[in-house]
Amino acid sequence: EQGTRAQDTEICYSWNKRGAQIGYAPGLIVHHITPDSRLNKNYFRQWQFLCGKNSAHIFKDEYAHSKRNAFGVPLWVYKRLLKSCWRYIKEFFSGKRFVNELWIRFHLGEIEGIKGQRISFKDDLRS
């Protein structure tokens, strides 16, 4: 279906859990057509949040096996969020500010996905 996300990650993860060997082909080239409307910071902010939600869905078994959690979210996820926030503050005036912001958005999406919000792989970003 056109407009879906993370299908490659989901299928590789699923196959690997069933014992399949997943390989890396460094010579393989994949071309994606990206509209100009997606080449802006707001799109990347939304996209990174959705990537976090999708990650929570794809790797739900890993999140569910965590024994220590708060509000249904493993403590290690909060720890990663706090580390990203610290890096954002520490490197605010560096060239890494936007990258650190994207990591914060990823972890917030991850938390929303873990907490059971409705997750859709459909492309709900305006293109």
Short mmCIF file of all heavy atoms in Angstrom, two decimals, residues 58-112:
data_model
loop_
_atom_site.label_atom_id
_atom_site.label_comp_id
_atom_site.label_asym_id
_atom_site.label_seq_id
_atom_site.Cartn_x
_atom_site.Cartn_y
_atom_site.Cartn_z
N ILE A 58 6.64 -2.01 16.35
CA ILE A 58 7.45 -3.09 15.77
C ILE A 58 8.17 -3.88 16.86
O ILE A 58 8.22 -5.11 16.83
CB ILE A 58 8.45 -2.53 14.75
CG1 ILE A 58 7.70 -1.97 13.54
CG2 ILE A 58 9.45 -3.61 14.31
CD1 ILE A 58 8.56 -1.14 12.60
N PHE A 59 8.74 -3.18 17.83
CA PHE A 59 9.54 -3.83 18.87
C PHE A 59 8.78 -3.98 20.19
O PHE A 59 9.36 -3.97 21.26
CB PHE A 59 10.85 -3.05 19.08
CG PHE A 59 11.66 -2.92 17.83
CD1 PHE A 59 11.77 -1.71 17.18
CD2 PHE A 59 12.28 -4.03 17.27
CE1 PHE A 59 12.51 -1.58 16.01
CE2 PHE A 59 13.03 -3.92 16.10
CZ PHE A 59 13.14 -2.70 15.47
N LYS A 60 7.46 -4.13 20.10
CA LYS A 60 6.62 -4.18 21.30
C LYS A 60 7.03 -5.27 22.28
O LYS A 60 6.89 -5.11 23.48
CB LYS A 60 5.15 -4.27 20.92
CG LYS A 60 4.77 -5.50 20.15
CD LYS A 60 3.29 -5.45 19.75
CE LYS A 60 3.01 -6.50 18.72
NZ LYS A 60 2.71 -5.98 17.43
N ASP A 61 7.56 -6.37 21.78
CA ASP A 61 7.99 -7.44 22.67
C ASP A 61 9.13 -6.99 23.58
O ASP A 61 9.16 -7.32 24.77
CB ASP A 61 8.44 -8.67 21.88
CG ASP A 61 7.29 -9.32 21.12
OD1 ASP A 61 6.12 -9.07 21.48
OD2 ASP A 61 7.57 -10.07 20.17
N GLU A 62 10.08 -6.24 23.02
CA GLU A 62 11.20 -5.74 23.83
C GLU A 62 10.72 -4.78 24.92
O GLU A 62 11.20 -4.80 26.04
CB GLU A 62 12.24 -5.05 22.95
CG GLU A 62 13.20 -6.00 22.28
CD GLU A 62 12.57 -6.79 21.14
OE1 GLU A 62 11.46 -6.44 20.71
OE2 GLU A 62 13.19 -7.76 20.70
N TYR A 63 9.78 -3.93 24.57
CA TYR A 63 9.25 -2.98 25.56
C TYR A 63 8.45 -3.71 26.64
O TYR A 63 8.52 -3.37 27.81
CB TYR A 63 8.37 -1.94 24.88
CG TYR A 63 9.11 -1.04 23.91
CD1 TYR A 63 9.03 -1.26 22.54
CD2 TYR A 63 9.87 0.01 24.37
CE1 TYR A 63 9.69 -0.43 21.65
CE2 TYR A 63 10.54 0.85 23.49
CZ TYR A 63 10.45 0.62 22.13
OH TYR A 63 11.11 1.43 21.26
N ALA A 64 7.70 -4.73 26.24
CA ALA A 64 6.83 -5.44 27.18
C ALA A 64 7.61 -6.27 28.19
O ALA A 64 7.13 -6.52 29.29
CB ALA A 64 5.86 -6.34 26.41
N HIS A 65 8.82 -6.71 27.84
CA HIS A 65 9.60 -7.57 28.73
C HIS A 65 10.36 -6.80 29.81
O HIS A 65 11.02 -7.40 30.64
CB HIS A 65 10.56 -8.44 27.92
CG HIS A 65 9.86 -9.54 27.19
ND1 HIS A 65 9.11 -9.32 26.07
CD2 HIS A 65 9.78 -10.86 27.45
CE1 HIS A 65 8.61 -10.48 25.65
NE2 HIS A 65 8.99 -11.43 26.46
N SER A 66 10.26 -5.50 29.79
CA SER A 66 10.97 -4.70 30.79
C SER A 66 10.26 -4.82 32.14
O SER A 66 9.05 -4.60 32.24
CB SER A 66 11.02 -3.24 30.35
OG SER A 66 11.71 -2.48 31.29
N LYS A 67 11.01 -5.18 33.17
CA LYS A 67 10.40 -5.38 34.49
C LYS A 67 10.21 -4.07 35.24
O LYS A 67 9.32 -3.95 36.07
CB LYS A 67 11.27 -6.33 35.31
CG LYS A 67 11.26 -7.72 34.74
CD LYS A 67 12.11 -8.67 35.54
CE LYS A 67 11.96 -10.04 34.91
NZ LYS A 67 13.08 -10.87 34.98
N ARG A 68 11.05 -3.10 34.95
CA ARG A 68 10.96 -1.81 35.64
C ARG A 68 10.35 -0.79 34.70
O ARG A 68 10.90 -0.51 33.64
CB ARG A 68 12.35 -1.37 36.10
CG ARG A 68 12.93 -2.33 37.11
CD ARG A 68 14.33 -2.01 37.50
NE ARG A 68 14.50 -0.57 37.69
CZ ARG A 68 15.62 0.00 38.02
NH1 ARG A 68 16.70 -0.71 38.20
NH2 ARG A 68 15.71 1.31 38.16
N ASN A 69 9.19 -0.26 35.09
CA ASN A 69 8.54 0.73 34.25
C ASN A 69 7.78 1.73 35.09
O ASN A 69 7.55 1.51 36.27
CB ASN A 69 7.63 0.05 33.22
CG ASN A 69 6.47 -0.67 33.86
OD1 ASN A 69 5.58 -0.02 34.38
ND2 ASN A 69 6.48 -1.99 33.84
N ALA A 70 7.42 2.81 34.46
CA ALA A 70 6.59 3.84 35.09
C ALA A 70 5.49 4.20 34.10
O ALA A 70 5.77 4.51 32.94
CB ALA A 70 7.42 5.07 35.44
N PHE A 71 4.26 4.11 34.54
CA PHE A 71 3.10 4.40 33.70
C PHE A 71 3.08 3.52 32.45
O PHE A 71 2.68 3.96 31.37
CB PHE A 71 3.06 5.88 33.32
CG PHE A 71 3.17 6.81 34.49
CD1 PHE A 71 4.34 7.51 34.71
CD2 PHE A 71 2.12 6.94 35.38
CE1 PHE A 71 4.46 8.36 35.81
CE2 PHE A 71 2.22 7.78 36.48
CZ PHE A 71 3.39 8.49 36.69
N GLY A 72 3.56 2.30 32.58
CA GLY A 72 3.55 1.35 31.49
C GLY A 72 4.70 1.49 30.50
O GLY A 72 4.76 0.77 29.51
N VAL A 73 5.61 2.41 30.76
CA VAL A 73 6.74 2.65 29.87
C VAL A 73 8.02 2.22 30.57
O VAL A 73 8.26 2.62 31.72
CB VAL A 73 6.83 4.14 29.48
CG1 VAL A 73 8.04 4.41 28.60
CG2 VAL A 73 5.54 4.59 28.79
N PRO A 74 8.85 1.39 29.93
CA PRO A 74 10.10 0.98 30.57
C PRO A 74 10.96 2.18 30.98
O PRO A 74 11.04 3.17 30.25
CB PRO A 74 10.81 0.17 29.48
CG PRO A 74 9.72 -0.29 28.58
CD PRO A 74 8.69 0.80 28.60
N LEU A 75 11.60 2.06 32.14
CA LEU A 75 12.42 3.15 32.64
C LEU A 75 13.56 3.50 31.68
O LEU A 75 13.96 4.66 31.58
CB LEU A 75 12.97 2.82 34.02
CG LEU A 75 11.93 2.74 35.14
CD1 LEU A 75 12.60 2.39 36.47
CD2 LEU A 75 11.14 4.03 35.26
N TRP A 76 14.08 2.50 30.96
CA TRP A 76 15.19 2.78 30.05
C TRP A 76 14.77 3.71 28.91
O TRP A 76 15.61 4.42 28.35
CB TRP A 76 15.84 1.50 29.52
CG TRP A 76 14.93 0.51 28.86
CD1 TRP A 76 14.29 -0.53 29.45
CD2 TRP A 76 14.58 0.47 27.48
NE1 TRP A 76 13.56 -1.22 28.52
CE2 TRP A 76 13.72 -0.64 27.30
CE3 TRP A 76 14.90 1.24 26.37
CZ2 TRP A 76 13.17 -0.97 26.06
CZ3 TRP A 76 14.36 0.90 25.14
CH2 TRP A 76 13.51 -0.19 24.99
N VAL A 77 13.48 3.74 28.57
CA VAL A 77 13.01 4.66 27.53
C VAL A 77 13.06 6.09 28.06
O VAL A 77 13.52 7.00 27.38
CB VAL A 77 11.58 4.29 27.06
CG1 VAL A 77 11.06 5.32 26.07
CG2 VAL A 77 11.57 2.91 26.43
N TYR A 78 12.61 6.27 29.32
CA TYR A 78 12.69 7.60 29.94
C TYR A 78 14.15 8.04 30.05
O TYR A 78 14.47 9.22 29.85
CB TYR A 78 12.06 7.60 31.33
CG TYR A 78 10.56 7.45 31.32
CD1 TYR A 78 9.96 6.35 31.92
CD2 TYR A 78 9.74 8.40 30.74
CE1 TYR A 78 8.58 6.21 31.94
CE2 TYR A 78 8.35 8.27 30.75
CZ TYR A 78 7.79 7.17 31.36
OH TYR A 78 6.42 7.03 31.38
N LYS A 79 15.03 7.10 30.36
CA LYS A 79 16.45 7.43 30.49
C LYS A 79 17.00 7.93 29.15
O LYS A 79 17.74 8.92 29.11
CB LYS A 79 17.23 6.20 30.96
CG LYS A 79 18.70 6.44 31.16
CD LYS A 79 19.39 5.19 31.67
CE LYS A 79 20.88 5.41 31.82
NZ LYS A 79 21.57 4.20 32.28
N ARG A 80 16.63 7.27 28.06
CA ARG A 80 17.08 7.72 26.75
C ARG A 80 16.52 9.10 26.42
O ARG A 80 17.21 9.93 25.83
CB ARG A 80 16.70 6.71 25.67
CG ARG A 80 17.47 5.42 25.81
CD ARG A 80 17.38 4.48 24.64
NE ARG A 80 16.06 4.35 24.04
CZ ARG A 80 15.76 3.46 23.11
NH1 ARG A 80 16.68 2.63 22.68
NH2 ARG A 80 14.56 3.39 22.61
N LEU A 81 15.26 9.34 26.80
CA LEU A 81 14.66 10.65 26.58
C LEU A 81 15.42 11.73 27.37
O LEU A 81 15.74 12.79 26.83
CB LEU A 81 13.18 10.65 26.98
CG LEU A 81 12.48 12.01 26.96
CD1 LEU A 81 12.48 12.62 25.57
CD2 LEU A 81 11.06 11.87 27.48
N LEU A 82 15.71 11.45 28.62
CA LEU A 82 16.44 12.42 29.44
C LEU A 82 17.84 12.69 28.89
O LEU A 82 18.31 13.83 28.89
CB LEU A 82 16.52 11.96 30.89
CG LEU A 82 15.19 12.02 31.66
CD1 LEU A 82 15.34 11.38 33.03
CD2 LEU A 82 14.70 13.45 31.77
N LYS A 83 18.51 11.65 28.41
CA LYS A 83 19.83 11.83 27.80
C LYS A 83 19.73 12.72 26.57
O LYS A 83 20.58 13.58 26.33
CB LYS A 83 20.45 10.49 27.42
CG LYS A 83 21.06 9.75 28.57
CD LYS A 83 21.73 8.47 28.07
CE LYS A 83 22.47 7.78 29.18
NZ LYS A 83 23.16 6.56 28.70
N SER A 84 18.70 12.51 25.78
CA SER A 84 18.51 13.34 24.58
C SER A 84 18.22 14.79 24.96
O SER A 84 18.73 15.71 24.32
CB SER A 84 17.38 12.79 23.71
OG SER A 84 17.75 11.54 23.17
N CYS A 85 17.43 14.98 26.00
CA CYS A 85 17.15 16.34 26.48
C CYS A 85 18.44 17.01 26.98
O CYS A 85 18.68 18.19 26.69
CB CYS A 85 16.11 16.32 27.60
SG CYS A 85 14.45 15.91 27.05
N TRP A 86 19.25 16.25 27.70
CA TRP A 86 20.51 16.80 28.20
C TRP A 86 21.43 17.18 27.04
O TRP A 86 22.02 18.26 27.04
CB TRP A 86 21.20 15.81 29.14
CG TRP A 86 22.56 16.27 29.55
CD1 TRP A 86 23.74 15.68 29.25
CD2 TRP A 86 22.88 17.44 30.32
NE1 TRP A 86 24.77 16.41 29.79
CE2 TRP A 86 24.28 17.50 30.44
CE3 TRP A 86 22.10 18.44 30.90
CZ2 TRP A 86 24.93 18.50 31.13
CZ3 TRP A 86 22.75 19.46 31.58
CH2 TRP A 86 24.13 19.48 31.70
N ARG A 87 21.53 16.32 26.03
CA ARG A 87 22.36 16.64 24.87
C ARG A 87 21.83 17.88 24.15
O ARG A 87 22.60 18.72 23.68
CB ARG A 87 22.43 15.46 23.90
CG ARG A 87 23.48 14.45 24.26
CD ARG A 87 23.75 13.46 23.13
NE ARG A 87 22.56 12.80 22.64
CZ ARG A 87 22.08 11.66 23.14
NH1 ARG A 87 22.68 11.06 24.13
NH2 ARG A 87 21.00 11.12 22.62
N TYR A 88 20.51 18.01 24.07
CA TYR A 88 19.90 19.17 23.43
C TYR A 88 20.32 20.45 24.15
O TYR A 88 20.72 21.43 23.52
CB TYR A 88 18.38 19.03 23.40
CG TYR A 88 17.68 20.20 22.78
CD1 TYR A 88 17.59 20.33 21.39
CD2 TYR A 88 17.12 21.20 23.57
CE1 TYR A 88 16.94 21.40 20.81
CE2 TYR A 88 16.47 22.28 22.99
CZ TYR A 88 16.40 22.38 21.62
OH TYR A 88 15.77 23.45 21.04
N ILE A 89 20.22 20.44 25.47
CA ILE A 89 20.58 21.62 26.26
C ILE A 89 22.08 21.89 26.16
O ILE A 89 22.51 23.02 25.92
CB ILE A 89 20.16 21.42 27.74
CG1 ILE A 89 18.63 21.41 27.83
CG2 ILE A 89 20.76 22.50 28.63
CD1 ILE A 89 18.10 20.90 29.17
N LYS A 90 22.88 20.85 26.33
CA LYS A 90 24.34 20.98 26.34
C LYS A 90 24.87 21.49 24.99
O LYS A 90 25.80 22.28 24.95
CB LYS A 90 24.96 19.64 26.69
CG LYS A 90 26.46 19.67 26.91
CD LYS A 90 26.95 18.33 27.43
CE LYS A 90 27.08 17.38 26.28
NZ LYS A 90 27.79 16.14 26.59
N GLU A 91 24.27 21.03 23.92
CA GLU A 91 24.76 21.37 22.58
C GLU A 91 23.83 22.34 21.85
O GLU A 91 23.80 22.39 20.63
CB GLU A 91 24.93 20.09 21.77
CG GLU A 91 25.92 19.13 22.39
CD GLU A 91 25.98 17.79 21.67
OE1 GLU A 91 25.18 17.55 20.74
OE2 GLU A 91 26.83 16.97 22.06
N PHE A 92 23.07 23.14 22.63
CA PHE A 92 22.06 24.02 22.05
C PHE A 92 22.63 24.95 20.99
O PHE A 92 22.02 25.18 19.96
CB PHE A 92 21.38 24.84 23.15
CG PHE A 92 20.24 25.68 22.65
CD1 PHE A 92 19.01 25.12 22.43
CD2 PHE A 92 20.42 27.03 22.37
CE1 PHE A 92 17.95 25.88 21.96
CE2 PHE A 92 19.37 27.80 21.89
CZ PHE A 92 18.14 27.22 21.69
N PHE A 93 23.82 25.49 21.23
CA PHE A 93 24.38 26.45 20.30
C PHE A 93 25.32 25.81 19.27
O PHE A 93 25.99 26.48 18.52
CB PHE A 93 25.12 27.57 21.06
CG PHE A 93 24.16 28.40 21.86
CD1 PHE A 93 24.10 28.27 23.23
CD2 PHE A 93 23.30 29.29 21.23
CE1 PHE A 93 23.21 29.03 23.96
CE2 PHE A 93 22.40 30.05 21.96
CZ PHE A 93 22.36 29.92 23.33
N SER A 94 25.33 24.49 19.23
CA SER A 94 26.17 23.79 18.24
C SER A 94 25.34 23.46 17.01
O SER A 94 24.14 23.69 16.96
CB SER A 94 26.73 22.50 18.85
OG SER A 94 25.73 21.51 18.90
N GLY A 95 25.98 22.86 16.05
CA GLY A 95 25.27 22.44 14.85
C GLY A 95 24.43 21.20 15.06
O GLY A 95 23.76 20.74 14.14
N LYS A 96 24.44 20.65 16.27
CA LYS A 96 23.71 19.41 16.55
C LYS A 96 22.35 19.65 17.19
O LYS A 96 21.67 18.71 17.56
CB LYS A 96 24.54 18.52 17.47
CG LYS A 96 25.85 18.07 16.86
CD LYS A 96 26.63 17.22 17.83
CE LYS A 96 27.96 16.82 17.25
NZ LYS A 96 28.74 16.03 18.19
N ARG A 97 21.95 20.89 17.34
CA ARG A 97 20.70 21.19 18.03
C ARG A 97 19.50 20.50 17.39
O ARG A 97 18.69 19.88 18.06
CB ARG A 97 20.48 22.70 18.07
CG ARG A 97 19.21 23.07 18.81
CD ARG A 97 19.09 24.54 19.03
NE ARG A 97 18.85 25.23 17.78
CZ ARG A 97 18.86 26.54 17.65
NH1 ARG A 97 19.14 27.31 18.67
NH2 ARG A 97 18.61 27.09 16.48
N PHE A 98 19.38 20.58 16.07
CA PHE A 98 18.22 19.99 15.40
C PHE A 98 18.24 18.47 15.50
O PHE A 98 17.19 17.85 15.74
CB PHE A 98 18.16 20.45 13.94
CG PHE A 98 16.91 19.99 13.24
CD1 PHE A 98 15.66 20.40 13.67
CD2 PHE A 98 16.98 19.16 12.14
CE1 PHE A 98 14.50 19.98 13.03
CE2 PHE A 98 15.84 18.73 11.48
CZ PHE A 98 14.60 19.15 11.93
N VAL A 99 19.39 17.85 15.34
CA VAL A 99 19.49 16.39 15.47
C VAL A 99 19.05 15.96 16.86
O VAL A 99 18.30 14.99 17.03
CB VAL A 99 20.93 15.92 15.19
CG1 VAL A 99 21.10 14.45 15.53
CG2 VAL A 99 21.29 16.16 13.74
N ASN A 100 19.49 16.67 17.89
CA ASN A 100 19.10 16.34 19.26
C ASN A 100 17.60 16.54 19.46
O ASN A 100 16.96 15.75 20.16
CB ASN A 100 19.90 17.16 20.26
CG ASN A 100 21.36 16.76 20.29
OD1 ASN A 100 21.69 15.59 20.12
ND2 ASN A 100 22.24 17.71 20.48
N GLU A 101 17.04 17.57 18.86
CA GLU A 101 15.59 17.78 18.94
C GLU A 101 14.85 16.60 18.31
O GLU A 101 13.83 16.13 18.84
CB GLU A 101 15.20 19.07 18.23
CG GLU A 101 13.70 19.29 18.22
CD GLU A 101 13.26 20.45 17.34
OE1 GLU A 101 14.08 21.31 16.97
OE2 GLU A 101 12.05 20.48 17.00
N LEU A 102 15.36 16.10 17.20
CA LEU A 102 14.70 14.97 16.53
C LEU A 102 14.73 13.73 17.41
O LEU A 102 13.75 12.97 17.44
CB LEU A 102 15.35 14.69 15.17
CG LEU A 102 15.16 15.78 14.12
CD1 LEU A 102 15.87 15.39 12.82
CD2 LEU A 102 13.70 16.07 13.86
N TRP A 103 15.84 13.50 18.14
CA TRP A 103 15.89 12.36 19.05
C TRP A 103 14.86 12.50 20.17
O TRP A 103 14.22 11.53 20.57
CB TRP A 103 17.29 12.17 19.62
CG TRP A 103 18.16 11.41 18.69
CD1 TRP A 103 19.24 11.87 18.00
CD2 TRP A 103 18.02 10.03 18.33
NE1 TRP A 103 19.76 10.86 17.21
CE2 TRP A 103 19.04 9.72 17.40
CE3 TRP A 103 17.12 9.03 18.68
CZ2 TRP A 103 19.19 8.46 16.84
CZ3 TRP A 103 17.28 7.77 18.12
CH2 TRP A 103 18.30 7.50 17.21
N ILE A 104 14.68 13.70 20.68
CA ILE A 104 13.66 13.94 21.71
C ILE A 104 12.29 13.59 21.15
O ILE A 104 11.50 12.89 21.78
CB ILE A 104 13.69 15.40 22.19
CG1 ILE A 104 14.98 15.65 22.99
CG2 ILE A 104 12.46 15.73 23.03
CD1 ILE A 104 15.24 17.11 23.29
N ARG A 105 12.00 14.05 19.95
CA ARG A 105 10.71 13.75 19.33
C ARG A 105 10.53 12.25 19.09
O ARG A 105 9.43 11.72 19.25
CB ARG A 105 10.55 14.55 18.03
CG ARG A 105 10.39 16.02 18.31
CD ARG A 105 10.26 16.82 17.03
NE ARG A 105 10.12 18.22 17.33
CZ ARG A 105 8.97 18.82 17.61
NH1 ARG A 105 7.86 18.13 17.63
NH2 ARG A 105 8.93 20.11 17.89
N PHE A 106 11.60 11.56 18.70
CA PHE A 106 11.52 10.11 18.52
C PHE A 106 11.11 9.44 19.83
O PHE A 106 10.20 8.61 19.86
CB PHE A 106 12.88 9.56 18.06
CG PHE A 106 12.90 8.07 17.94
CD1 PHE A 106 12.50 7.45 16.77
CD2 PHE A 106 13.29 7.27 19.01
CE1 PHE A 106 12.50 6.07 16.66
CE2 PHE A 106 13.30 5.89 18.90
CZ PHE A 106 12.90 5.29 17.73
N HIS A 107 11.77 9.79 20.92
CA HIS A 107 11.47 9.16 22.21
C HIS A 107 10.06 9.50 22.70
O HIS A 107 9.39 8.66 23.30
CB HIS A 107 12.52 9.54 23.26
CG HIS A 107 13.89 9.07 22.91
ND1 HIS A 107 14.19 7.78 22.53
CD2 HIS A 107 15.07 9.73 22.87
CE1 HIS A 107 15.48 7.67 22.27
NE2 HIS A 107 16.04 8.85 22.47
N LEU A 108 9.60 10.72 22.45
CA LEU A 108 8.23 11.07 22.82
C LEU A 108 7.23 10.24 22.01
O LEU A 108 6.21 9.79 22.54
CB LEU A 108 7.99 12.57 22.62
CG LEU A 108 8.73 13.48 23.60
CD1 LEU A 108 8.56 14.94 23.20
CD2 LEU A 108 8.28 13.24 25.04
N GLY A 109 7.50 10.04 20.73
CA GLY A 109 6.64 9.18 19.91
C GLY A 109 6.68 7.75 20.39
O GLY A 109 5.66 7.06 20.43
N GLU A 110 7.87 7.31 20.79
CA GLU A 110 8.05 5.97 21.34
C GLU A 110 7.17 5.78 22.58
O GLU A 110 6.46 4.78 22.70
CB GLU A 110 9.53 5.84 21.70
CG GLU A 110 10.07 4.51 21.94
CD GLU A 110 11.58 4.57 22.19
OE1 GLU A 110 12.13 5.60 22.64
OE2 GLU A 110 12.21 3.55 21.91
N ILE A 111 7.19 6.77 23.47
CA ILE A 111 6.38 6.70 24.69
C ILE A 111 4.90 6.67 24.35
O ILE A 111 4.14 5.87 24.90
CB ILE A 111 6.73 7.87 25.64
CG1 ILE A 111 8.13 7.67 26.21
CG2 ILE A 111 5.69 8.01 26.75
CD1 ILE A 111 8.71 8.88 26.92
N GLU A 112 4.48 7.52 23.42
CA GLU A 112 3.07 7.51 23.03
C GLU A 112 2.68 6.17 22.43
O GLU A 112 1.61 5.63 22.72
CB GLU A 112 2.77 8.63 22.03
CG GLU A 112 1.30 8.67 21.67
CD GLU A 112 0.92 9.87 20.86
OE1 GLU A 112 1.38 10.98 21.16
OE2 GLU A 112 0.12 9.68 19.92
#
